[in-house]
Amino acid sequence: MPYLIQPIHLKRAARECMRRSSSPGADGISWAGFRTGLCERLEELGEQLRDGTWQPGPLRASHVVAYTGKHIDTVIPTVRDRVVHRAMRRAVEPVLDVGAFAPWVSGFRRGRNRLTSLRQAAVHLTQGRTWVVDVDVQRASAGSTVEEVIGWLAGHVHDGTFLARFRTALDVLPEPIVPGVGLSPMLINLRLAQADARVRNFAAVRFADNYCLFTFSRREADEAYEALTAALATVGLVPHPGKSRIRSSAHAEDLFLIDG
């Protein structure tokens, strides 16, 4: 809780949010407006988070078209709530990095990106694991419940007050991992971490919601595909039918491509 409620941590979260060019929420308050009286605003926000009176503001619905052409329905919280979401991430991500996320997982993590995944993939390929189970998860953010998310988080965070505030943040959302909310990237990783634990005996690399399992033969690849499909099913997910396949050979540079 100190990392969530103390003004110094809320100020750091606000600064991180302000580095991004983003539009106002449903209340019409912009970052320029929020900066007016910032210290007083954050003091008040910290007190509300401490005593449990903080309630999220209204959401603004939005529709965006990604550069890949993909259409995405999103919601935009108020800038004040974005500060809370960022502070929550700052508080809990170090815990999840150590206790929940595997070393072969990159994307939505500090210092771990597609290049990290490519380097790890190259090691497996040079060792002769040239049969690759290449699985893109279909709608990784859809279909979870608040109870599920809090349950996954409670496996690593034991501060009941923090979990209660986290639940308050999620309860107002149309889905707990809805696109557009700052908590979503971390929660996608937390959801997939449940599946990651079930395929840890395979030579695996995951970048965001794209898995690659490396094997020596077609038979092993078929077994790996079945194991990963079963692992994803435990959190209500499936491989994307149009983007998932078993490759008989692959170059590392051809993996983890962002194609929408």
Side-chain angles (χ1 to χ4, degrees), residues 217-231:
S217 68
R218 176 68 196 223
R219 178 184 60 79
E220 290 177 343
D222 289 337
E223 293 173 355
Y225 190 95
E226 291 178 6
L228 179 54
T229 300

Side-chain angles (χ1 to χ4, degrees), residues 84-183:
V84 176
H85 296 165
R86 177 64 62 172
M88 287 178 169
R89 280 185 63 176
R90 286 177 55 85
V92 78
E93 277 183 333
V95 177
L96 298 180
D97 273 336
V98 172
F101 302 151
W104 43 267
V105 170
S106 299
F108 310 139
R109 299 178 68 183
R110 293 180 187 272
R112 293 175 179 268
N113 52 31
R114 180 172 178 267
L115 292 178
T116 312
S117 294
L118 292 178
R119 294 189 192 104
Q120 293 175 330
V123 171
H124 295 306
L125 292 170
T126 57
Q127 291 173 344
R129 296 183 177 91
T130 55
W131 284 86
V132 182
V133 176
D134 187 353
V135 167
D136 203 326
V137 180
Q138 185 170 21
R139 301 186 67 207
S141 63
S144 62
T145 66
V146 172
E147 290 300 324
E148 285 177 322
V149 173
I150 295 299
W152 300 330
L153 193 59
H156 306 278
V157 176
H158 306 138
D159 186 327
T161 305
F162 182 90
L163 292 173
R165 303 296 179 271
F166 208 94
R167 180 187 291 274
T168 299
L170 298 184
D171 277 339
V172 301
L173 302 177
E175 285 189 300
I177 317 181
V178 62
V181 175
L183 295 171

